[in-house]
Amino acid sequence: MKLDSGMLMNEDITVQLKRFITGEMYGLDMKLVIQKTLFESDLNTTQNRLNMPIKQLLTRPHEFLTAEEIHVVNESKEGIEVRVVGPAMQMYKRPLRLKMWHMKRNDNYVLKTNWNNFVADNKVLEKHKKIQVWSFRKHRQLCFAIVPVERPDAANKFCYSC
């Protein structure tokens, strides 16, 4: 799968992720929401959020959010609770919250609340690491999966048990 960044998603990771979500988790409707590089601001513990600029989304909001979810995410102070699968192919124990931040020049979706804990528990999420964020539904609840992107010329295979 070639994306605009010139990076390739390791097909093994894609297959494993889809198998886990659709097979073991009985998840439905997987969509690639964004591929992005983790910046210092995404990992800064004082900010406690993953920023996903709307202009960089690979899937339109109405394709992975219901009309009601769009309204709540855009208008409510808290946003909506979501569950997240991490790089180790496990549902993270703590929920995160999806919220819209309206900025002067850009609107951004953010995954917040427990983001710092998620990063601390998933050490492969480092500055300058490319990740993909996928959406899916489990029992109609919105969930996300966050996985690193591996360059095809990387010497080491990605380790899901790390």
Side-chain angles (χ1 to χ4, degrees):
M1 172 184 300
K2 187 167 184 167
L3 299 171
D4 62 344
S5 68
M7 296 290 286
L8 295 174
M9 177 69 176
N10 180 317
E11 292 300 324
D12 292 339
I13 295 171
T14 304
V15 169
Q16 287 178 336
L17 180 64
K18 287 182 179 180
R19 186 178 302 137
F20 176 74
I21 289 172
T22 60
E24 293 181 43
M25 299 220 29
Y26 302 105
L28 302 169
D29 203 23
M30 278 184 68
K31 297 196 183 331
L32 179 58
V33 175
I34 193 169
Q35 176 171 298
K36 68 169 281 172
T37 301
L38 288 172
F39 294 106
E40 188 171 323
S41 60
D42 293 311
L43 303 172
N44 185 324
T45 57
T46 61
Q47 295 193 27
N48 193 26
R49 58 91 180 126
L50 173 66
N51 189 43
M52 298 183 288
I54 292 237
K55 290 180 179 178
Q56 294 177 22
L57 296 183
L58 301 171
T59 302
R60 294 180 182 179
H62 69 272
E63 294 175 321
F64 70 94
L65 296 171
T66 65
E68 180 182 347
E69 288 168 341
I70 289 172
H71 176 74
V72 173
V73 167
N74 285 333
E75 304 301 328
S76 113
K77 186 176 181 178
E78 285 81 33
I80 59 172
E81 183 175 286
V82 297
R83 301 303 309 264
V84 178
V85 169
M89 299 291 173
Q90 290 184 317
M91 183 66 81
Y92 189 62
K93 60 189 173 229
R94 298 176 182 162
L96 279 69
R97 298 199 79 79
L98 179 67
K99 174 78 181 116
M100 170 68 75
W101 281 357
H102 300 283
M103 312 299 273
K104 287 181 184 176
R105 296 182 184 205
N106 282 338
D107 287 339
N108 302 286
Y109 285 112
V110 291
L111 283 172
K112 59 182 203 149
T113 308
N114 293 318
W115 173 250
N116 287 343
N117 296 333
F118 182 79
V119 170
D121 290 344
N122 292 281
K123 306 261 186 255
V124 298
L125 300 176
E126 302 169 331
K127 185 177 171 185
H128 303 300
K129 179 83 77 168
K130 281 210 181 280
I131 62 165
Q132 287 187 341
V133 178
W134 294 76
S135 69
F136 66 98
R137 301 264 165 192
K138 180 171 172 67
H139 304 299
R140 297 190 192 140
Q141 180 185 10
L142 178 65
C143 301
F144 291 96
I146 300 172
V147 293
V149 173
E150 180 183 73
R151 292 187 342 197
D153 61 340
N156 299 325
K157 290 281 186 194
F158 183 74
C159 175
Y160 283 110
S161 61
C162 298

